[in-house]
Amino acid sequence: MCGRYASSRAPEDLAGLFDARLDTDHVLEPSWNVAPTDEVWAVLERAERGSGAVERQLRPVRWGLVPSWAKDPAVGSRMINARVETVHEKPAYRRALAKRRCLLPADGFYEWVAVPATASAKAYKQPYFIRPETGSVVAMAGLYEFWRDPAVADDGDPAAWLTTATVITTEATDAAGRIHPRMPLALDPDDYEEWLDPSHQDTAALRTLLHTPADGRLTVAAVSTAVNSVRNDGPHLLDPLTP
């Protein structure tokens, strides 16, 4: 799975990297400990009302997909990941895969290994930070949805709509696989246009675009257990532990 990640690049830099328009006045702070239900940056394409012209946007969404038919948005905390093996079949994801795809930019992601107790120490989970060897951005493949809050009467009120997203994951078979059996999928820059195009609805063809981050050329480093708490944040969380 992908349960935490880092996203520290400035929105202006992300907009330039993805050739997208920054579609908000609400700027998210850099985070080295992005957690489920946090607001995160997403790159997506939407048709403008009236003209129908498709525009690529960089906008904040909440991590944890809430299906449009959900009665309670709290279900999103359990839908932070969608498995690539079944994403085209699951009711919560299949329509989004066909029509509402996005990219979720990340510096890298965390995974944990359980360390058993010893005679002198309690059991704990050791976090590892996984990122491309080149330090390039990871364009994690995602899906997004809109959920209508019935408590807000006016459709035109921004508070009436909640935009959420999930990360698509796969079996980890490279450096990340030594840490955890699952990992996020990513896209190559040459495939951004096809993945984001809302008119492209051939889900079988779309799934062929998904790759392991950096084609598996990843670095893996043990980091401080401080990241285990969502209250902790800052670039120091990525510092490798001294052997």
Side-chain angles (χ1 to χ4, degrees):
M1 64 176 294
C2 176
R4 300 277 182 84
Y5 66 93
S7 179
S8 65
R9 287 173 168 83
E12 295 80 8
D13 294 340
L14 290 175
L17 281 170
F18 292 96
D19 193 24
R21 180 178 68 84
L22 185 57
D23 186 40
T24 183
D25 293 326
H26 174 45
V27 176
L28 306 182
E29 293 297 321
S31 177
W32 292 265
N33 196 3
V34 177
T37 73
D38 283 351
E39 283 192 298
V40 298
W41 289 117
V43 179
L44 55 90
E45 291 187 354
R46 298 285 297 169
E48 292 183 354
R49 290 183 179 180
S51 70
V54 174
E55 179 186 55
R56 185 174 298 180
Q57 308 169 356
L58 176 69
R59 59 188 292 179
V61 301
R62 195 175 81 172
W63 186 18
L65 188 138
V66 179
S68 59
W69 40 261
K71 294 183 179 180
D72 188 335
V75 302
S77 64
R78 303 193 300 272
M79 295 186 180
I80 62 170
N81 293 162
R83 297 172 68 96
V84 70
E85 297 89 346
T86 57
V87 67
H88 58 299
E89 301 170 340
K90 296 290 186 181
Y93 305 125
R94 61 191 180 198
R95 285 181 60 83
L97 177 63
K99 297 182 177 182
R100 287 176 290 278
R101 299 174 300 276
C102 64
L103 300 172
L104 301 169
D107 305 332
F109 54 96
Y110 297 94
E111 296 295 357
W112 280 260
V113 171
V115 178
T118 66
S120 58
K122 295 181 179 180
Y124 69 100
K125 290 186 176 181
Q126 173 59 55
Y128 291 79
F129 189 64
I130 303 166
R131 67 174 124 194
E133 292 176 350
T134 62
S136 59
V137 68
V138 180
M140 298 189 297
L143 310 175
Y144 70 96
E145 266 293 2
F146 297 107
W147 182 80
R148 177 67 168 86
D149 185 349
V152 181
D154 183 4
D155 266 0
D157 185 339
W161 298 94
L162 177 65
T163 311
T164 61
T166 189
V167 175
I168 300 178
T169 67
T170 189
E171 181 180 355
T173 57
D174 52 14
R178 299 197 299 270
I179 305 302
H180 195 275
R182 304 291 297 181
M183 68 186 299
L185 283 162
L187 269 84
D188 293 327
D190 289 345
D191 295 327
Y192 292 170
E193 185 173 352
E194 189 173 356
W195 176 254
L196 295 174
D197 181 0
S199 69
H200 186 351
Q201 299 184 16
D202 183 340
T203 56
L206 288 163
R207 290 169 71 213
T208 67
L209 303 177
L210 304 174
H211 305 278
T212 56
D215 288 332
R217 295 185 295 275
L218 303 167
T219 62
V220 179
V223 294
S224 167
T225 55
V227 74
N228 294 0
S229 171
V230 297
R231 293 187 296 272
N232 297 326
D233 203 351
H236 66 282
L237 295 179
L238 306 189
D239 292 343
L241 291 182
T242 303

